[in-house]
Amino acid sequence: MVLGTNGTGKSTIMRTILQKCNAKKALIVTNHIEEWRDIQEVDLSQREDFIFEGIRKTRCYQPTKGDIGTLAKLRYFRKGIIIFDDARLYMKDAKTDNLIEDLMISYRQQELDIFVVAHGFTKVRPVFYSYVSNIILFRTLDSVQYRKMELGENYQRIVDAQAEVNRKAIKDPHFYKWIKLW
């Protein structure tokens, strides 16, 4: 999970992670057309859209009468990295939660690493918190208190980390902490 306000470095750190892990295949799920401009877009409508090397992006569409929707199609994505960028824009309901939970449960069988990128703790659906192993925390404005139940035994560590990051971000807006939860 990568959290931070605008301009703190979330996209930059994701690009760095993709480079360092030598990602052979990564898919960025987003609704922001302006971001990731240099990345080729795929619509996940045909088999070839899932067979590629490098980094691609796709827009997240809700299901329609003739289409199961982007999140449901991700069950066909294998052996790569999925980045849910600014997830609050397209993850809003219980149906979304079920699709995400299915994906999070089967990540090992699908050979996936999954990142969720958002502006703060409350901008990430609660379903993600059961599966998060690391948080990369930049300056955030919302309170971690709203996710106290989801964070469980890690709650106080996160509160302390948020206070430190927000304090240090006054001088360095790109300061972050990498917190390993398990």
Side-chain angles (χ1 to χ4, degrees):
M1 186 177 294
V2 180
L3 304 175
T5 59
N6 289 348
T8 53
K10 299 180 305 292
S11 295
T12 301
I13 203 164
M14 287 311 312
R15 286 180 185 271
T16 302
I17 289 169
L18 290 173
Q19 286 173 340
K20 283 189 177 182
C21 70
N22 207 7
K24 292 186 178 169
K25 184 175 169 183
L27 182 65
I28 301 159
V29 181
T30 185
N31 270 2
H32 285 296
I33 307 313
E34 300 79 30
E35 291 203 41
W36 305 97
R37 283 186 197 180
D38 58 320
I39 306 297
Q40 181 181 339
E41 190 169 336
V42 292
D43 66 5
L44 305 181
S45 62
Q46 50 194 339
R47 186 174 186 272
E48 291 75 31
D49 292 340
F50 294 90
I51 303 169
F52 62 84
E53 286 190 11
I55 303 170
R56 300 289 185 273
K57 69 178 175 184
T58 191
R59 295 185 206 182
C60 193
Y61 295 106
Q62 297 300 318
T64 62
K65 189 174 182 180
D67 187 274
I68 61 173
T70 304
L71 295 177
K73 290 176 185 177
L74 292 177
R75 67 179 172 227
Y76 302 114
F77 188 75
R78 300 278 190 273
K79 296 183 180 181
I81 296 170
I82 296 175
I83 299 170
F84 292 109
D85 192 26
D86 205 0
R88 71 170 176 84
L89 291 174
Y90 49 85
M91 295 184 184
K92 298 182 178 192
D93 57 21
K95 186 172 183 179
T96 296
D97 288 352
N98 290 336
L99 292 168
I100 293 304
E101 187 156 38
D102 289 348
L103 190 63
M104 299 300 282
I105 288 170
S106 65
Y107 83 97
R108 285 180 48 207
Q109 291 80 8
Q110 289 181 239
E111 300 178 58
L112 298 175
D113 288 310
I114 300 171
F115 292 85
V116 60
V117 180
H119 289 182
F121 297 96
T122 61
K123 306 304 181 194
V124 176
R125 297 289 298 172
V127 68
F128 276 105
Y129 285 92
S130 296
Y131 303 96
V132 170
S133 60
N134 291 270
I135 297 175
I136 300 173
L137 185 60
F138 292 90
R139 179 176 176 265
T140 51
L141 299 178
D142 69 352
S143 175
V144 68
Q145 182 178 355
Y146 292 106
R147 293 293 185 238
K148 184 175 185 177
M149 191 167 76
E150 288 86 1
L151 288 167
E153 65 187 35
N154 291 303
Y155 172 72
Q156 192 56 52
R157 275 187 357 159
I158 304 299
V159 167
D160 296 343
Q162 183 185 34
E164 178 187 355
V165 167
N166 285 350
R167 187 175 59 254
K168 290 186 176 181
I170 293 169
K171 290 184 179 177
D172 177 4
H174 304 295
F175 181 82
Y176 70 91
K177 251 188 123 132
W178 192 309
I179 306 156
K180 186 157 182 63
L181 301 180
W182 49 271

